[in-house]
Amino acid sequence: SQKIEQNSEALNIQEGKTATLTCNYTNYSPAYLQWYRQDPGRGPVFLLLIRENEKEKRKERLKVTFDTTLKQSLFHITASQPADSATYLCALAVGSARQLTFGSGTQLTVLP
Amino acid sequence: GAVVSQHPSRVICKSGTSVKIECRSLDFQATTMFWYRQFPKQSLMLMATSNEGSKATYEQGVEKDKFLINHASLTLSTLTVTSAHPEDSSFYICSARDPRGPGETQYFGPGTRLLVL
């Protein structure tokens, strides 16, 4: 069966440290993978997109890697801040219409 | 980035009534919009893909007669929950593709919290 798993439901780290979130998938062949941030009671906000032929993407303090052999994406936030606290969702683009299939999310808390 | 709005932001209704939720792309024309549902502590589940000028494509298990989708213009899609029941209470979120940018990026609305009593 097809599955998207994010490493843990909740992750607590100390301010200034690097947060690393994991997204693993099985039985999908996504054209690309995206990461979103979602705050409570709000819609997801797009962060980064990485294609199947790309290994790494960066945007300011964010870095995403994509390993299609391992079927895994890692999402890093460097120099984390309490304002980074949110739920982070990975999403795979599948199908001819590139519909997004979401993982269950990881709730990140950055402690001051 | 592109802006997508939803209205209303929250609605409380009695069981058996119908509720309409609007999704608008404010600064771009979206030929494709998507409707998702999210239950507490769970991720977003795609309900349907809405294409302007044609019938929506529903995901398996989503009743098309219960969740009516109308994409009448390039900036507006509506979701009507017909004869709502308490189990329909959820967070409904729409998204739209901005054709001006990388076509794969979806911009999400702020969501609509529906509570059916």
Side-chain angles (χ1 to χ4, degrees):
Chain A
S1 62
Q2 296 175 317
K3 280 194 303 185
I4 304 173
E5 292 181 329
Q6 295 191 235
N7 56 322
S8 57
E9 282 191 19
L11 177 66
N12 296 334
I13 63 165
Q14 210 63 41
E15 182 175 7
K17 301 290 186 185
T18 296
T20 298
L21 285 63
T22 305
C23 177
N24 294 292
Y25 60 93
T26 55
N27 294 325
Y28 283 108
S29 296
Y32 52 86
L33 184 148
Q34 300 183 343
W35 284 89
Y36 287 82
R37 168 185 173 139
Q38 186 176 26
D39 291 286
R42 307 291 296 174
V45 174
F46 170 75
L47 296 176
L48 281 168
L49 177 153
I50 187 164
R51 301 178 196 281
E52 57 181 340
N53 60 348
E54 296 175 318
K55 297 291 186 187
E56 183 179 297
K57 266 284 185 65
R58 291 176 185 262
K59 179 182 174 183
E60 297 173 353
R61 295 185 294 112
L62 309 180
K63 184 177 86 170
V64 171
T65 63
F66 194 12
D67 188 326
T68 54
T69 302
L70 291 178
K71 296 188 184 294
Q72 179 183 79
S73 175
L74 299 179
F75 177 77
H76 307 272
I77 306 175
T78 58
S80 59
Q81 305 165 0
D84 295 326
S85 299
T87 295
Y88 291 85
L89 304 165
C90 71
L92 305 182
V94 295
S96 57
R98 299 291 190 254
Q99 298 97 326
L100 292 182
T101 301
F102 283 85
S104 53
T106 296
Q107 185 175 345
L108 173 68
T109 302
V110 181
L111 304 167
Chain B
V3 179
V4 175
S5 71
Q6 275 184 247
H7 178 80
S9 58
R10 59 180 68 221
V11 58
I12 301 173
C13 70
K14 291 182 179 179
S15 186
T17 61
S18 294
V19 174
K20 181 187 281 189
I21 302 170
E22 292 185 350
C23 177
R24 294 182 185 272
S25 54
L26 296 185
D27 55 352
F28 65 99
Q29 294 184 326
T31 53
T32 304
M33 290 184 172
F34 302 88
W35 286 96
Y36 295 83
R37 182 167 51 183
Q38 186 176 33
F39 291 106
K41 303 280 187 192
Q42 295 186 25
S43 192
L44 285 78
M45 297 298 295
L46 178 66
M47 298 175 68
T49 301
S50 169
N51 296 298
E52 188 267 337
S54 64
K55 289 183 179 179
T57 303
Y58 290 82
E59 295 300 297
Q60 193 172 10
V62 178
E63 298 175 58
K64 62 181 180 181
D65 294 330
K66 178 159 185 71
F67 299 100
L68 301 178
I69 291 172
N70 186 359
H71 195 156
S73 76
L74 288 172
T75 59
L76 174 63
S77 175
T78 59
L79 168 68
T80 301
V81 183
T82 61
S83 186
H85 291 286
E87 57 265 29
D88 298 322
S89 299
S90 188
F91 192 49
Y92 292 86
I93 310 173
C94 71
S95 71
R97 281 212 186 103
D98 184 352
R100 300 168 301 178
E104 306 89 347
T105 302
Q106 290 185 28
Y107 293 93
F108 284 80
T112 297
R113 177 78 58 193
L114 171 63
L115 176 61
V116 184
L117 302 176

